[in-house]
Every structure is written in C-alpha cells, then in structure tokens.
Amino acid sequence: MTLCESFETGTAGAAPDANTWSVGGPNCFDGTGKAVIDNTQAHSGGRSVRIDPGTSYCGHAFIINQAVASMGPVVYARFYVRLAQVLGDPHVTLVSMHDAIASTSSSVQDLRMGGQSSILMWNRSKDDATLPSLSPTGIAASVKLPAATWTCIEFGLDSAMGTMQTWVNGNLVAGMALDTVQTPDIDASWLGSMPTWVPKVSDLKIGWESYGGSTNTVWIDDVALGTSRVGCSP
Ligand code: CA
C-alpha cells in the first residue's frame, strides 16, 4: 500500500507524524482548528486523530498527505471516521483533495467529500456540483453517517477512466458513483456542468471544513491508500 497509518506511534495531544502529515487547510488557515493524536477514541489500537474545528471557514483543520501526487491514475483510499454529531443540512467537508483539473495558478479548487442535506456526498468546489444531485431521488441514493460510531469509508478514483466509486462499511453507495453516462439525479448535473473533468487529485486532506457554521468533532483512524481496493477490517 502507498500509505497505511494507524496513528499508534503518535503522542496524545501532539500533531500526527510530520513525516507523513501536515496540518492545515486550503485557501486559508487561521489556526483555530486543531488536529491532534487522541488516546480516548480509536478504531485500531489506542490512538486516532481528533479534529477540533474552529467555527469559521478558515478554522477548518485537515491532516494532509501528499502521496497521491506520485500515484498513477488509479487511487483507492480507505479510512475510518467517527463523528460526535450526525451530518446536518448545511454543507460540510470531511475529505478534500486538490483538484488538479479545475485548479489554476491563481485559483485553488478541491474535490470534496462531506455532508449536505444530512447525507454523505461529493462536491466539486469549482462549480459546486454535487454527487448525487440533492434532489429527493438523489438524496435517497446516498447514506447518513451515524454519530459516535466508527464508520469505514472507501473511495476509488480513476482519472484515466473518469470514474469514481464510494463505499460505506463495505457497501457501494449508488448515489456517489461517477461514470461517463449521465444518470438523472446522480451524475447528470456533475457531467453536464464540466464534461471534460476527471477525478485527478494531488493530495489527501481529511478533517472538517464548514461553510454554514456547522461544527463537530471528528476522529480519524486507519487511513490507507493503494492502487487497488483496500477494504474494511473488523
Ligand atoms: Ca489507531
């Protein structure tokens, strides 16, 4: 695997290993959001990373790894997340990845996985498109994340094929799948808005970012990257 991180070598209260992770956020970072090793919650072993976001957009906090920049067109990721509170209606982000297609030298854009309308969904910052569309049918095609429970999230990106897949606790999420055929309520708007866009990313950021003042506490554990599906462990 390209990356396999259980945070077990970290020190509670300190930032995760600086050889693997930086802490920050795209566009701005005011330092009010924190990302530290926590020994009170863990999916594996005795430690995880806890995100304590600030209340503003620039109070976002992510742990950031650059390994995907040197991977090929196929990137699979797996991580476990534990939310203090369920996802609400306002838009928030849990995973943000530098969008190598939509970004320019003067405009940073990200491919983001997070919540809106209480479900897990993808968002492309360039045009604010969502996957699925936030119609009743689109919303019903995704899932809600429970509070105070470790949830396994996996995704696969293929920038050569232009496809994305997403799994929650091992189950494919139909509404969070991108292919090259426009499916109403799923990827029709996403494809229609930017027909030549493909999921080519150059970093992996996991944490919390909020656009409507929503706050939460987020724990992250067992982060893995590979060129084939990693899968969930018990
Ligand atoms: Ca751990």
Side-chain angles (χ1 to χ4, degrees):
M1 277 187 280
T2 306
L3 172 71
C4 186
E5 172 66 84
S6 64
F7 303 109
E8 294 304 307
T9 61
T11 302
D17 184 355
N19 292 317
T20 306
W21 304 100
S22 60
V23 175
N27 299 302
C28 58
F29 183 60
D30 68 15
T32 59
K34 307 295 183 189
V36 296
I37 301 292
D38 189 344
N39 61 8
T40 69
Q41 298 289 346
H43 173 262
S44 70
R47 294 177 180 83
S48 65
V49 161
R50 189 185 75 242
I51 306 290
D52 297 307
T55 54
S56 67
Y57 170 79
C58 295
H60 52 193
F62 294 92
I63 54 170
I64 305 168
N65 177 273
Q66 307 289 342
V68 291
S70 53
M71 292 175 71
V74 176
V75 173
Y76 282 85
R78 191 282 317 276
F79 65 99
Y80 288 79
V81 65
R82 185 182 192 277
L83 301 173
Q85 302 168 52
V86 297
L87 300 170
D89 284 334
H91 183 203
V92 298
T93 289
L94 294 168
V95 178
S96 180
M97 293 174 281
H98 186 79
D99 183 338
I101 301 298
S103 294
T104 66
S105 58
S106 60
S107 172
V108 173
Q109 302 293 340
D110 286 275
L111 172 62
R112 309 184 291 203
M113 177 197 284
Q116 194 165 357
S117 302
S118 303
I119 58 157
L120 192 66
M121 54 101 219
W122 290 99
N123 171 281
R124 188 170 51 200
S125 69
K126 173 67 176 176
D127 58 350
D128 219 23
T130 67
L131 182 73
S133 293
L134 297 177
S135 61
T137 299
I139 289 169
S142 188
V143 297
K144 299 182 178 187
L145 299 184
T149 303
W150 285 103
T151 299
C152 177
I153 297 179
E154 298 173 86
F155 60 85
L157 312 178
D158 188 329
S159 62
M161 299 293 289
T163 58
M164 297 165 52
Q165 294 172 291
T166 313
W167 298 263
V168 172
N169 289 333
N171 300 310
L172 188 70
V173 181
M176 295 176 71
L178 173 70
D179 59 24
T180 56
V181 177
Q182 293 190 17
T183 303
D185 298 293
I186 309 299
D187 59 1
S189 295
W190 186 282
L191 285 165
S193 174
M194 293 177 67
T196 61
W197 183 91
V198 293
K200 182 174 174 58
V201 299
S202 53
D203 68 10
L204 172 67
K205 303 183 284 291
I206 310 177
W208 180 265
E209 182 174 88
S210 170
Y211 319 95
S214 304
T215 191
N216 213 325
T217 306
V218 182
W219 288 266
I220 301 157
D221 204 356
D222 295 315
V223 182
L225 286 170
T227 54
S228 60
R229 196 175 164 198
V230 178
C232 302
S233 57

